[in-house]
Amino acid sequence: AQKVTQAQTEISVVEKEDVTLDCVYETRDTTYYLFWYKQPPSGELVFLIRRNSFDEQNEISGRYSWNFQKSTSSFNFTITASQVVDSAVYFCALGEGFQKLVFGTGTRLLVSP
Amino acid sequence: EADIYQTPRYLVIGTGKKITLECSQTMGHDKMYWYQQDPGMELHLIHYSYGVNSTEKGDLSSESTVSRIRTEHFPLTLESARPSHTSQYLCASSANRVHYGYTFGSGTRLTVV
């Protein structure tokens, strides 16, 4: 069965600190996709990244980076030098083939000035 | 530019009223979904559709109903609104395979007084 665990319910940091959001997944498929979405206070979910199970290369996009490790079934998300605008709820999700996405319960990030 | 549209963005309505939340997408996606999200953050799937004339109940029981008469349109209806229906409702769509994840609408914040 598919499952996504985001153990951190809420994280509070001060601006310019680095912060890592954890995501652990469970799946029996060899082909699957992992996602991160950002939900700012305005409410919509914004797509951040997609990763397929055959590509373990880490990715960096500006201040954002993602560490995908199949050995530990984790897909962690790091924000470097956090800013107030990063305050949001972040969701990790797992997708397999024709199945529905399975979402984690979300991590609320609060960045204070 | 959004490819999936939800209206209204905000709605305050009295108990007992019938309401319909609109969701339309222009991407030709076969699959569409409705999520309910309370302030506790977690996304709860309440309905989904894999195509025209196909609708299924999601993981969370809901008193709402949905219809899918056209590919692009997936409205959600509450026959008699109650304060317990106060929540954010998010609509999403995806291609047949979930390789690219979901595209979400901006959501409807419903308040029943």
Side-chain angles (χ1 to χ4, degrees):
Chain A
Q2 306 168 70
K3 187 178 178 181
V4 174
T5 301
Q6 294 182 255
Q8 304 151 309
T9 303
E10 185 169 305
I11 302 174
S12 293
V13 298
V14 177
E15 219 172 8
K16 298 183 183 176
E17 282 185 33
D18 299 346
V19 58
T20 296
L21 283 61
D22 298 331
C23 173
V24 174
Y25 63 93
E26 293 178 28
T27 178
R28 291 179 182 169
D29 274 18
T30 55
T31 303
Y32 53 89
Y33 293 81
L34 295 163
F35 305 84
W36 276 96
Y37 287 85
K38 174 182 180 179
Q39 186 179 36
S42 52
E44 76 279 14
L45 267 81
V46 178
F47 167 84
L48 293 178
I49 190 171
R50 175 182 72 115
R51 213 81 189 130
N52 74 58
S53 53
F54 298 108
D55 184 2
E56 284 193 75
Q57 192 171 9
N58 292 332
E59 180 153 341
I60 298 175
S61 176
R63 296 184 297 107
Y64 294 173
S65 62
W66 291 269
N67 183 0
F68 177 27
Q69 291 195 346
K70 289 177 74 171
S71 60
T72 56
S73 297
S74 64
F75 186 43
N76 297 336
F77 172 31
T78 297
I79 301 174
T80 302
S82 59
Q83 300 177 1
V84 172
V85 292
D86 296 327
S87 296
V89 179
Y90 292 86
F91 290 94
C92 181
L94 166 69
E96 300 170 350
F98 296 95
Q99 303 300 316
K100 299 185 292 296
L101 286 188
V102 174
F103 286 88
T105 51
T107 297
R108 185 183 302 276
L109 175 64
L110 300 172
V111 183
S112 54
Chain B
E1 186 175 330
D3 296 311
I4 183 165
Y5 305 90
Q6 286 188 247
T7 58
R9 186 74 176 87
Y10 301 93
L11 180 62
V12 180
I13 200 162
T15 297
K17 298 291 186 183
K18 177 181 178 178
I19 57 171
T20 296
L21 308 184
E22 300 289 348
C23 177
S24 294
Q25 51 97 3
T26 59
M27 297 169 284
H29 285 166
D30 286 328
K31 297 185 173 183
M32 297 188 74
Y33 314 85
W34 275 105
Y35 285 85
Q36 182 175 338
Q37 185 182 33
D38 294 329
M41 296 188 311
E42 194 169 350
L43 297 166
H44 298 286
L45 180 67
I46 52 175
H47 297 284
Y48 62 99
S49 167
Y50 284 174
V52 171
N53 294 326
S54 155
T55 61
E56 301 286 345
K57 290 189 178 296
D59 307 318
L60 180 71
S61 175
S62 173
E63 294 169 342
S64 58
T65 59
V66 292
S67 63
R68 190 89 183 276
I69 298 173
R70 303 196 314 266
T71 298
E72 64 271 21
H73 194 214
F74 190 40
L76 180 144
T77 298
L78 277 165
E79 290 292 333
S80 180
R82 298 197 304 215
S84 61
H85 296 140
T86 295
S87 189
Q88 164 147 277
Y89 293 84
L90 289 158
C91 180
S93 71
S94 73
N96 218 11
R97 293 182 68 90
V98 293
H99 291 175
Y100 296 99
Y102 292 177
T103 301
F104 282 87
S106 53
T108 294
R109 290 187 190 270
L110 173 65
T111 302
V112 184
V113 297

